[in-house]
Amino acid sequence: MKIRALLMGLVAMGLSATAVAADPIVIKFSHVVAQDTPKGKAAEKFKELAEKYTSGAVKVEVYANSTLYKDKEEMEALQLGAVQLLAPSLAKFGPLGVREFEVFDLPYIFDGYEALNKVTQGPVGQQLLAKLEPKGIRGLAFWDNGFKSFSANTPITKPEDLRGKKMRIQSSKVLEEQMREVKALPQVMAFSEVYQALQTGVVDGTENPHSNLFTQKMHEVQKHMTLTDHGYLGYAVITNKKFWDGLPAEIRSQLDKAMAESTVYANQIAKEENDKALEGVRASGKTEIHTPTAEEKAAFKKAFVPVHKKMESRIGADLIQSIYKETGFDPAKL
């Protein structure tokens, strides 16, 4: 608080923030994935730009791979002010009480990045971020990761192949319903625990963008993967609202600029990194990759899309319809 007050006084007198660069504002940025994933690289890009644009008045410490906080701990740590920046997956906001974010978990609601970005980079996305403020959280940006594939130790070529399988999911009522819709058994588990659970048979399979699967070496303990693109995994970059609002206006403006540029970078590399990871899985020879035919893809969509209707009372029918309007999706045409 003393550092912040000093900075505010200096800025008010028109002095450069570099005058206190020897005693910078420290921003701890915690996340749960590897440094060489799209999110990990984007976090490092934000660190680089934030320190550059503030001329060292801000120091960003990035803690990757759950080294500071795990899935279940990080949100509380942010609200308590123990960490200043997170980029949790969008499924994390349902348990926080902001159920509208679970709309991103609906299977097949986005047909690719173009449809997705109409929502995340448009007014619907901004309205969703604003819903975090009563929780003491300021939403800064949406970062893409990618679209998910199913993996298991037996082939998954049709929805019925998921029946009875213990499938790891994030904590999300929508994802639970998604698995139950095809008679799979949803298993909520922290991301950092998944490899061992797959290795020991505690769970049979999982759903992940390719970069997460590959960088966590899950492909080494999964014999089959199917490129279903059935769901989206993305992140909201968030900060403690009190901390952010308490920053000097000049510093906050520079950090906003760094975040905007980091977001462009994050979303540009997401598909590229996932494509590279898929090739890495293929080259390993440990996992057989199945690309569904048009008929197989249609069967997955038909099996999963009823989840949309079932989740209307939880997420909000109006919100779901507003996304259909933005993207042009019409479940009646399946």
Side-chain angles (χ1 to χ4, degrees), residues 99 101-107 169-181 307-308 311 314-315:
R99 294 177 177 179
F101 275 81
E102 289 185 348
V103 75
F104 290 102
D105 292 335
L106 289 173
I169 60 167
Q170 299 183 77
S171 179
S172 164
K173 296 299 182 184
V174 174
L175 295 180
E176 287 181 23
E177 188 62 39
Q178 168 192 281
M179 293 304 183
R180 291 194 183 105
E181 189 69 22
V307 174
H308 295 202
M311 289 289 105
R314 180 177 179 86
I315 296 172

Side-chain angles (χ1 to χ4, degrees), residues 151-284:
S151 68
N153 283 324
T154 53
I156 301 171
T157 60
K158 55 188 183 297
E160 292 79 7
D161 291 333
L162 291 163
R163 184 187 296 267
K165 283 188 169 59
K166 295 175 289 183
M167 300 295 290
R168 181 267 171 177
I169 60 167
Q170 299 183 77
S171 179
S172 164
K173 296 299 182 184
V174 174
L175 295 180
E176 287 181 23
E177 188 62 39
Q178 168 192 281
M179 293 304 183
R180 291 194 183 105
E181 189 69 22
V182 292
K183 304 297 190 294
L185 305 173
Q187 308 289 311
V188 175
M189 183 177 294
F191 185 69
S192 58
E193 299 169 5
V194 178
Y195 177 90
Q196 185 175 8
L198 292 169
Q199 186 180 42
T200 58
V202 171
V203 295
D204 299 314
T206 187
E207 53 167 16
N208 272 299
H210 309 141
S211 63
N212 282 7
L213 183 97
F214 183 65
T215 58
Q216 295 294 318
K217 303 185 187 303
M218 295 180 198
H219 65 290
E220 295 181 354
V221 287
Q222 295 279 265
K223 294 178 181 177
H224 296 271
M225 179 168 69
T226 301
L227 310 182
T228 45
D229 289 338
H230 63 278
Y232 167 71
L233 179 64
Y235 312 106
V237 187
I238 58 175
T239 186
N240 180 290
K241 185 178 184 299
K242 185 176 180 181
F243 166 78
W244 199 257
D245 291 347
L247 290 170
E250 179 183 319
I251 296 292
R252 192 166 57 243
S253 175
Q254 292 160 339
L255 293 177
D256 283 338
K257 180 182 178 183
M259 182 57 66
E261 293 184 19
S262 300
T263 298
V264 172
Y265 171 79
N267 295 343
Q268 282 177 342
I269 67 169
K271 186 177 186 305
E272 177 185 331
E273 291 295 316
N274 278 293
D275 288 346
K276 285 181 182 177
L278 179 60
E279 289 311 306
V281 173
R282 198 185 306 276
S284 75

Side-chain angles (χ1 to χ4, degrees), residues 9 23 26 30 38 109 255:
D23 201 9
V26 175
S30 173
I109 194 167
L255 293 177

